Amino acid sequence: ITQEEMARLSRFANEAKVAPEHRFYCVNERCARLFAVNTVEVKRRVKPFVTCPYCATTACVVCKIRWHDALTCDEIKVNEYI
C-alpha cells in the first residue's frame, strides 16, 4: 500500500467516525471534504455559518451554499438561489 493510499484510508476512517447528524460537506467543489458540525447549535445562531477547516470556505449550514452575508436564508429560498 502506498503512502497516498494509506493517507486516504486514514481520512476515510476518520470521516466514518463522524455521526451522521454532524456531517457537513464543504460547499467548495474543489474541496468537498467532510467535517463535523453541530448543525442544531449552528442553525440557532443569527448567522448560521461554518468555516471549512481544510480550505477556509465559509458556508451557510441552513442553505448548504457559500455564506450569503448580504441575504437571509429566507431571501435565498424565496429567490431560489438554492
Side-chain angles (χ1 to χ4, degrees):
I1 189 166
T2 68
Q3 191 172 6
E4 183 180 320
E5 291 169 329
M6 191 63 174
R8 191 170 177 204
L9 181 62
S10 176
R11 183 178 119 204
F12 289 141
N14 286 333
E15 289 178 353
K17 294 176 189 174
V18 178
E21 64 273 14
H22 290 190
R23 291 180 182 196
F24 191 83
Y25 289 89
C26 180
V27 298
N28 179 345
E29 56 281 342
R30 290 185 178 170
C31 177
R33 296 279 302 269
L34 171 75
F35 58 99
V37 172
N38 184 335
T39 55
V40 173
E41 181 182 309
V42 175
K43 286 178 180 180
R44 289 185 192 143
R45 297 180 193 163
V46 173
K47 294 186 176 190
F49 68 87
V50 293
T51 302
C52 175
Y54 303 102
C55 72
T57 296
T58 307
C60 177
V61 173
V62 175
C63 299
K64 296 183 180 150
I65 60 173
R66 289 182 187 259
W67 179 240
H68 48 82
D69 198 30
L71 300 170
T72 66
C73 295
D74 288 337
E75 291 169 329
I76 291 290
K77 290 173 189 166
V78 167
N79 292 303
E80 297 180 4
Y81 292 121
I82 54 174

